[in-house]
Amino acid sequence: MTPADGVVVVRGLKKRYGALTAVDDVSFAIPEGQVFGLLGPNGAGKTSTLEMIEGLRVPDAGEIFVQGIDARRHPAKIKAIIGVQLQNSSYFDLLTVRETLGLFGSLFPVHLPEHALIPRFELAEKADTRVKDLSGGQRQRLSVALALVNDPRVVFLDEPSAGLDPQARRILWETIASFREEGRTVVLTTHYMDEAEFLSDDLVIMDHGRIIAHGTPRELVRRYLPGAVIELDRPAGQRIGDLKLEALRRAEERENLWTLESDRLEDTLVDLVQWSRERSVPLEGLRTRGATLEDVFLELTGRSLREDNGEARPSEGRERRG
Amino acid sequence: MGDPPGPATSRTRHLTAFLRLTRALTLTFVRNRQGVFWSFFFPVLLMVVFGFLGGQGAFHVDIALAGPPGPVHRLIREDLGHVPIFTIHPVKSVAQGLGQVVHGTADVAMIVPPPTAPQVLKVYYNSSSYIGAQESLSAVRFAVAELNVAMSGRPPALGIVTRPVAGRDVNYLAFLVPGILALMAMQNSLFGLATTVVRWKERGVLRRFFATPLPPSTLLSALVVNQLVIGLVTLAIVLFIGTVILHAQVLVPVFPLLVTLVLGIAAFQALSFMIAGFARTTEAVIPMVNLVSFPMMFLSGIWFPVSSLPAGVAAVVKLFPLTFLTSATRALMSTTPRFTAAIRGDLVGLAVWLIVTSAVAVRTWRWE
């Protein structure tokens, strides 16, 4: 990989906090105009990776190029040209939306005027409302609007939909898709697989600081789970361990739901129906679907994306530089 | 996309950013109505209470009277004892009288000469409370001069008639106003700056600014300059209320006072950054600020002269930054409206605090 391989190029990036290796030899190249997703559970190293590119954290090793500029040597140049939305950031509570956009705009050599940003992020009604009086969704839209204030070619969004209701998330997805239509490159972290699947042209799955898979959502599913998934309510009195079905790759029980991954859906289904007849067990809530990124993650790590993996690890947004 | 105003040079851009930040911070201060209210409430309340209740004549001299009993002793006891501002405490020995002066229970010790010695009345005062002592001494001198006239039965060559005019009557309000200004300079800096900076760190405000090309130093200098200006405006308003509305009889030498208060605020700002370097959360910073400010608030001569503290405590309290600031401000506003040697000493004390706390703050400071 060379700096010319993409608008963002990262090579061998490493970051340690004491004994914890938060980012462990991460490399990727993002072609211009794509939405690039970093998918992974909390503590996977997504935020640390992003913040090193943004010049907010100093890597222990590795190289970073943004638009051909060496980000480790010229962090100020990078900060002037990229757009950034951070997790858990706040602004001056007593300034209005319009004043906040104007203030941040004035910090950049080139900036979009407030009157262009306000309607685009559906903040027109709230333009003269103080930041402290905004709802969570409005505040998030302001955060994303601020990422666009310097008219950047590359926009970094860190968990942009965290804490939003489904409708607000949909609006946000449309906004992010519109960035791509304008030719901007978007780098996005998320732990929602549907978000990564919907938005990403290309994505990496991270776990424990490492990239464990890289490809388009479709490629990843095809590569790791070519079959399909059968889901059904747990039949009363039955144990998932007793299932012996044709072409069954993996069977999981969670919250009274059985999830059966199959290499050949037809064969597994026939067996399942026969099994239910033999035992006179009704198959309730039965449905089949193609595999998703969630299943890929499960396949790769043995854990669910949103499952609390029980490790005492600080959430990334609150890590402090020692 | 968009209509950029054309590439500005980085210097004018930094200046623009600095001005926009200053404006934003000022708006933030003014819109915080509760904050504005509380920054005026106590200073003005105190001035009003002491302006009306304290009234005139709060000035008072305690005299420890030693020496052999005799006509002079009795005359002083009776004549001076009738003057309302004097209270005479007869003591058994010269040592006891001096002890009272040193410990601040008496302002001056008066030693009556034995009948055989020359008729010289020795008056001892505490040199460490220079200003208070000067006031006491001039009152005593004046009283003794009148006593002389009474004893000799001869009118003095030049008689004095005193009439109060709207001049510098030393009352408690006049004593208090310079102290309140100094106290406000401290409180505004410590509470305004230290808590703001830690809250910014904690809530990710600083972090968001670091993701922009704004140099962090520009952000902090905008904050510091803004706090300084707001602090001075607040002090000016309180001083206006004190002098024009409540008629505190103080001098207002604008330039020396400005220099002194700016130096004081700067020293407390550096102290704020030092605290903000140690504290990680808003919950931690408030007790730390209290720990630092409470002893100074009570002991640094705002409410009563430092010299009235026990000598050992006073020796320590004299090194507090608020003691330096109070002492300099009070001297400028009550006796000499220019930089005397004593005031210059206070300013040097403040400068040392500024330098030391700045040095520590630079070492302890963390951006996140």
Side-chain angles (χ1 to χ4, degrees):
Chain A
M1 270 188 283
T2 72
D5 285 341
V7 69
V8 177
V9 176
V10 166
R11 250 189 325 220
L13 204 57
K14 279 189 185 168
K15 180 73 191 175
R16 270 183 295 274
Y17 304 110
L20 174 75
T21 302
V23 176
D24 191 3
D25 198 16
V26 163
S27 303
F28 52 76
I30 307 173
E32 177 138 32
Q34 281 202 346
V35 175
F36 184 83
L38 288 105
L39 178 67
N42 287 333
K46 309 183 298 288
T47 297
S48 292
T49 302
L50 227 56
E51 290 187 345
M52 285 189 277
I53 303 172
E54 293 160 352
L56 290 172
R57 287 179 199 274
V58 180
D60 293 322
E63 291 178 298
I64 304 163
F65 295 93
V66 178
Q67 294 176 221
I69 300 168
D70 184 338
R72 292 190 66 179
R73 291 176 63 183
H74 307 288
K77 277 190 191 167
I78 299 297
K79 288 175 184 180
I81 57 172
I82 62 171
V84 169
Q85 175 258 324
L86 301 176
Q87 246 185 74
N88 312 319
S89 61
S90 41
Y91 312 97
F92 296 142
D93 278 347
L94 297 175
L95 290 192
T96 67
V97 167
R98 194 191 306 279
E99 287 163 348
T100 305
L101 288 167
L103 173 64
F104 274 83
S106 74
L107 309 180
F108 290 92
V110 172
H111 58 92
L112 297 173
E114 298 97 281
H115 60 75
L117 291 166
I118 286 168
R120 172 157 186 194
F121 291 90
E122 299 184 39
L123 290 164
E125 280 176 28
K126 296 288 172 182
D128 297 308
T129 301
R130 293 177 185 180
V131 171
K132 73 172 164 67
D133 297 324
L134 296 179
S135 72
Q138 290 157 350
R139 198 180 286 243
Q140 200 69 359
R141 290 210 291 282
L142 173 61
S143 281
V144 178
L146 284 168
L148 212 64
V149 81
N150 58 333
D151 197 12
R153 277 169 61 199
V154 189
V155 185
F156 294 86
L157 306 174
D158 197 357
E159 305 263 352
S161 64
L164 294 187
D165 60 55
Q167 196 198 348
R169 282 176 69 199
R170 275 284 162 187
I171 296 174
L172 186 78
W173 290 3
E174 282 164 27
T175 306
I176 293 171
S178 76
F179 288 179
R180 173 172 44 195
E181 280 156 30
E182 292 171 337
R184 301 183 207 273
T185 308
V186 178
V187 185
L188 163 90
T189 73
T190 182
H191 58 263
Y192 296 116
M193 60 90 193
D194 56 341
E195 185 165 290
E197 208 157 2
F198 181 86
L199 289 170
S200 309
D201 298 306
D202 193 19
L203 68 90
V204 292
I205 298 179
M206 289 187 73
D207 191 36
H208 296 313
R210 298 185 144 267
I211 292 179
I212 55 175
H214 183 175
T216 66
R218 208 170 255 281
E219 276 169 10
L220 289 176
V221 172
R222 207 179 308 139
R223 189 183 321 153
Y224 294 101
L225 286 174
V229 175
I230 304 162
E231 287 176 343
L232 67 155
D233 298 341
R234 182 173 66 88
Q238 300 301 315
R239 293 197 356 226
I240 197 163
D242 298 340
L243 276 181
K244 297 274 183 296
L245 305 177
E246 182 72 24
L248 180 65
R249 168 202 282 257
R250 176 193 191 90
E252 279 259 325
E253 176 179 316
R254 192 175 320 136
E255 290 164 10
N256 290 327
L257 184 75
W258 284 8
T259 303
L260 315 176
E261 291 171 14
S262 163
D263 290 327
R264 292 186 310 281
L265 180 62
E266 301 78 6
D267 296 346
T268 313
L269 263 182
V270 167
D271 264 16
L272 179 66
V273 171
Q274 201 165 343
W275 173 85
S276 101
R277 279 217 188 113
E278 281 167 10
R279 302 191 176 206
S280 302
V281 169
L283 297 178
E284 281 171 10
L286 179 76
R287 60 194 170 115
T288 65
R289 56 173 174 83
T292 63
L293 286 176
E294 178 88 47
D295 305 313
V296 171
F297 188 82
L298 197 65
E299 170 76 16
L300 288 171
T301 66
R303 283 178 289 121
S304 157
L305 264 176
R306 267 162 292 175
E307 193 173 86
D308 199 356
N309 54 25
E311 287 170 46
R313 183 179 288 205
S315 85
E316 287 179 278
R318 289 175 186 275
E319 278 167 10
R320 289 166 201 280
R321 189 157 35 186
Chain B
M1 285 179 279
D3 46 300
T9 68
S10 77
R11 185 170 299 176
T12 55
R13 205 174 70 244
H14 287 168
L15 184 63
T16 315
F18 180 85
L19 294 175
R20 292 295 289 256
L21 275 167
T22 307
R23 181 172 165 273
L25 291 168
T26 308
L27 282 175
T28 300
F29 174 82
V30 175
R31 286 176 186 172
N32 180 2
R33 299 232 180 91
Q34 278 198 323
V36 172
F37 175 79
W38 288 110
S39 55
F40 287 106
F41 180 75
F42 275 113
V44 172
L45 178 75
L46 284 167
M47 290 194 306
V48 168
V49 166
F50 288 107
F52 288 116
L53 298 187
Q56 308 290 309
F59 177 62
H60 196 266
V61 183
D62 286 294
I63 300 172
L65 186 62
V72 178
H73 195 282
R74 197 183 62 242
L75 199 64
I76 290 175
R77 218 169 52 226
E78 287 174 358
D79 270 34
L80 258 56
H82 289 135
V83 180
I85 65 165
F86 293 125
T87 305
I88 311 287
H89 308 278
V91 290
K92 290 199 177 70
S93 67
V94 174
Q96 191 188 353
L98 294 183
Q100 289 196 359
V101 172
V102 169
H103 290 110
T105 45
D107 296 296
V108 295
M110 235 180 234
I111 316 299
V112 176
T116 52
Q119 296 290 300
V120 175
L121 191 64
K122 285 188 183 150
V123 179
Y124 293 91
Y125 65 95
N126 189 338
S127 63
S128 62
S129 67
Y130 180 77
I131 297 143
Q134 289 308 308
E135 304 286 358
S136 307
L137 284 179
S138 49
V140 168
R141 258 194 212 105
F142 186 72
V144 171
E146 295 210 324
L147 210 60
N148 256 330
V149 173
M151 283 165 76
S152 65
R154 233 176 341 139
L158 193 60
I160 300 177
V161 177
T162 57
R163 299 248 155 76
V165 290
R168 292 193 315 105
D169 269 328
V170 179
N171 58 26
Y172 192 58
L173 181 62
F175 176 84
L176 205 58
V177 166
I180 284 182
L181 295 184
L183 181 63
M184 283 180 72
M186 176 178 82
Q187 300 292 68
N188 289 348
S189 304
L190 287 181
F191 283 95
L193 199 57
T195 54
T196 302
V197 169
V198 174
R199 199 171 57 239
W200 283 10
K201 280 205 276 188
E202 193 179 30
R203 295 182 49 205
V205 176
L206 278 188
R207 209 169 168 64
R208 186 61 190 83
F209 279 102
F210 297 159
T212 73
L214 177 78
S217 55
T218 307
L219 176 63
L220 292 188
S221 34
L223 180 62
V224 164
V225 170
N226 190 67
Q227 284 274 334
L228 177 67
V229 172
I230 287 176
L232 289 174
V233 170
T234 319
L235 291 179
I237 293 171
V238 168
L239 183 57
F240 176 85
I241 295 173
T243 52
V244 176
I245 299 177
L246 299 172
H247 307 293
Q249 300 299 327
V250 290
L251 304 169
V252 186
V254 175
F255 179 72
L257 204 54
L258 192 65
V259 170
T260 304
L261 291 171
V262 167
L263 184 61
I265 291 174
F268 287 117
Q269 285 184 330
L271 190 59
S272 300
F273 274 106
M274 199 176 101
I275 294 172
F278 288 118
R280 291 194 156 203
T281 61
T282 317
E283 288 76 35
V285 75
I286 289 173
M288 284 169 89
V289 164
N290 284 337
L291 186 73
V292 169
S293 66
F294 265 51
M296 291 201 268
M297 187 162 98
F298 291 117
L299 301 178
S300 282
I302 311 288
W303 320 105
F304 50 84
V306 177
S307 56
S308 54
L309 291 168
V313 178
V316 176
V317 168
K318 274 185 189 144
L319 299 175
F320 288 175
L322 188 60
T323 313
F324 288 124
L325 183 59
T326 307
S327 159
T329 311
R330 187 169 288 142
L332 283 172
M333 298 182 75
S334 61
T335 48
T336 45
R338 60 204 145 68
F339 292 131
T340 61
I343 298 175
R344 283 200 298 270
D346 290 332
L347 297 188
V348 169
L350 283 175
V352 169
W353 270 99
L354 173 61
I355 292 163
V356 171
T357 47
S358 300
V360 178
V362 166
R363 283 169 179 277
T364 59
W365 175 253
R366 289 212 168 73
W367 285 107
E368 49 188 287

